[in-house]
Amino acid sequence: MTVTASPRASGRIGRTGRPRGDVLATMMGLTVCLLPFLVPAGPGNSALADVGMTLCIGLALLWSVREQMPVKVPYLLGTAGLLLGGAFAAYVAQAPVGVGLVLAQDVLLLAWGAALALGRHNPAIVSAVTRAWCRTAPVYSGVMAVAYLLGINALSGVSAKDGVRASYTFGDPNLAGNYLVVSLFVMAACKCPRARGVRRIAYVLVLAAIGFTGSNGAMLTLLVGLVLAGTVSRYRRSGAVAGLSALAVSMLLAGVVFTFVMPRVDLGQIREAAAGSVPLLRDSFGRSASSTGERATIVHEGTQLYLHGDVTGYGPSRTKAALAAHQAPYVKEAHNDYLATLLERGLIGALGLLALGLAIGVRCFRLVVGTLPDSYAALVPRPWLLAVIGPIMATAAGFYEVLHFRHLWTWLGLVAALVLVLQDQQKKRVP
């Protein structure tokens, strides 16, 4: 959706006292710095980053109106489907008023993405967001890794619930691992920190912090991301044939491993060895069999719940309550965005999720094949590596509920801004 007026995109204070785009950029950078700090949580699992997002949205609205700029609301169709499906399901199921908070979070995150998309008009916004992200992630990782090694549980987030796995200030090891994996590819896309030696140290710090989370999902998505990063990088260097060849080789190797190697490997014995060895391996890979079994049970029960229900859904964040009401033997949240959307937001929400996925996929494709203008290419030299985060999050959505991850929508807003820049560049070239 686009609201268009005569654009004046300098973003600087004029005689009428218009707010500078640079003020908005600075505020957005500060908000990105707050993304990892989710505990202690406020009402409704709110965090300091939500306050920053709200202020940025207000500043963005004021700036765009006073400067009379075209305003794009990316991902509107898909998010509208999710909102409509959730609201309709809540109304039909007579869900508690509290589910409205979930829908409000949808609106906040959509508006945050739209505010970030204003980077289309001011490179300072893209600069502030990417630099803040690329500097915060390694510094945060280094501090948290030291806290983990020194046993400072108040910082490392180690608790009896997750064994020796670190959740840092996220409250959940898997959420922490996902943020760090995404951050790794943002750093690679932006080549930030700029000095190669410093950047390599930053990569090591982030990888160490990922390892301490003990998140099997983070390790899987990291592997997916590395394979795809190699493929698209080969495509950008040598063309489509080379890129497809790299992908084919990766798929062939994966097929060989799963066909010939995995059947000869006793995973149960390896898990038992891991469970009795290093505590971190015990609480991560050592428990993978039980974790996989639990998720399979959740999927089975969720599927049965949907088949015995109707297409309207049970309302946002109501999977656990619905399972309890149907006396399911294993009552848990879905831990799967695809199943959760179908259960909680019904067929309308599922169509919305499909539309959202298609919108993200199209934008990622454009980043892979497009070339940014110099002012933006200097900030994101390898935008195709940002596109790799799309499949990473799509994979993660199979075993987490990622739609309300703040860093997901920060990435989506950044991608939208860059794709809009590509579109604007194309329009200028057309006579």
Side-chain angles (χ1 to χ4, degrees), residues 90 93-96 99 305 314-323 333 344:
Q94 297 182 335
V99 302
L305 182 63
Y314 295 93
S317 296
R318 297 285 297 165
T319 296
K320 190 173 181 179
L323 287 170
E333 295 293 348
E344 298 174 358

Side-chain angles (χ1 to χ4, degrees), residues 106-365:
D106 292 343
V107 174
L108 175 67
L109 292 171
L110 175 65
W112 168 240
L116 288 166
L118 289 175
R120 162 197 199 180
H121 303 297
N122 188 356
I125 291 176
V126 175
S127 175
V129 169
T130 53
R131 288 176 183 273
W133 198 333
C134 294
R135 291 172 179 174
T136 298
V139 171
Y140 177 87
S141 297
V143 171
M144 293 302 159
V146 170
Y148 182 85
L149 293 172
L150 295 179
I152 307 174
N153 293 345
L155 275 181
S156 66
V158 174
S159 64
K161 180 184 72 170
D162 297 306
V164 298
R165 297 171 64 197
S167 61
Y168 307 127
T169 55
F170 286 88
D172 178 80
N174 295 321
L175 174 54
N178 183 262
Y179 166 81
L180 293 169
V181 169
V182 170
S183 298
L184 199 66
F185 286 93
V186 173
M187 291 162 57
C190 300
K191 298 180 75 172
C192 185
R194 292 299 183 190
R196 181 177 295 181
V198 177
R199 189 163 67 247
R200 287 176 176 173
I201 293 172
Y203 289 155
V204 170
L205 290 174
V206 175
L207 286 169
I210 292 171
F212 292 148
T213 66
S215 173
N216 294 320
M219 295 300 179
L220 174 61
T221 53
L222 177 61
L223 179 61
V224 169
L226 290 174
V227 170
L228 291 176
T231 300
V232 296
S233 295
R234 184 74 184 275
Y235 160 75
R236 293 289 301 199
R237 284 195 305 268
S238 308
V241 174
L244 289 173
S245 298
L247 181 61
V249 170
S250 299
M251 294 179 67
L252 179 62
L253 288 174
V256 169
V257 169
F258 281 102
T259 304
F260 299 103
V261 178
M262 295 302 290
R264 291 171 172 77
V265 175
D266 189 345
L267 287 179
Q269 186 177 1
I270 295 175
R271 289 191 185 105
E272 287 179 9
S277 62
V278 179
L280 186 58
L281 284 175
R282 178 197 65 207
D283 293 330
S284 56
F285 187 72
R287 58 182 291 275
S288 60
S290 61
S291 179
T292 303
E294 288 174 3
R295 293 183 188 281
T297 301
I298 292 171
V299 170
H300 173 74
E301 290 188 355
T303 303
Q304 293 302 311
L305 182 63
Y306 179 76
L307 293 175
H308 288 87
D310 54 49
V311 296
T312 59
Y314 295 93
S317 296
R318 297 285 297 165
T319 296
K320 190 173 181 179
L323 287 170
H326 285 76
Q327 297 182 337
Y330 194 73
V331 177
K332 284 275 189 178
E333 295 293 348
H335 295 294
N336 178 320
D337 262 322
Y338 307 108
L339 179 60
T341 299
L342 197 59
L343 282 173
E344 298 174 358
R345 301 173 189 250
L347 184 59
I348 297 174
L351 291 174
L353 181 62
L354 177 61
L356 178 61
L358 288 173
I360 295 170
V362 168
R363 285 172 172 83
C364 287
F365 177 77

Side-chain angles (χ1 to χ4, degrees), residues 27-51:
M27 190 64 207
M28 285 182 167
L30 292 173
T31 300
V32 170
C33 292
L34 294 174
L35 290 178
F37 301 97
L38 304 184
V39 293
N45 288 323
S46 59
L48 281 175
D50 298 329
V51 178

Side-chain angles (χ1 to χ4, degrees), residues 379-406:
L379 303 173
V380 189
R382 298 183 287 199
W384 54 90
L385 294 183
L386 279 184
V388 168
I389 296 172
I392 285 175
M393 296 306 291
T395 303
F399 36 85
Y400 311 142
E401 293 183 45
V402 307
L403 282 177
H404 283 159
F405 284 7
R406 294 162 179 85

Side-chain angles (χ1 to χ4, degrees), residues 31-72:
T31 300
V32 170
C33 292
L34 294 174
L35 290 178
F37 301 97
L38 304 184
V39 293
N45 288 323
S46 59
L48 281 175
D50 298 329
V51 178
M53 288 179 191
T54 304
L55 290 174
C56 288
I57 291 164
L59 284 173
L61 183 61
L62 181 62
W63 182 50
S64 60
V65 169
R66 289 190 174 182
E67 293 294 329
Q68 298 181 323
M69 294 182 302
V71 177
K72 179 77 174 179

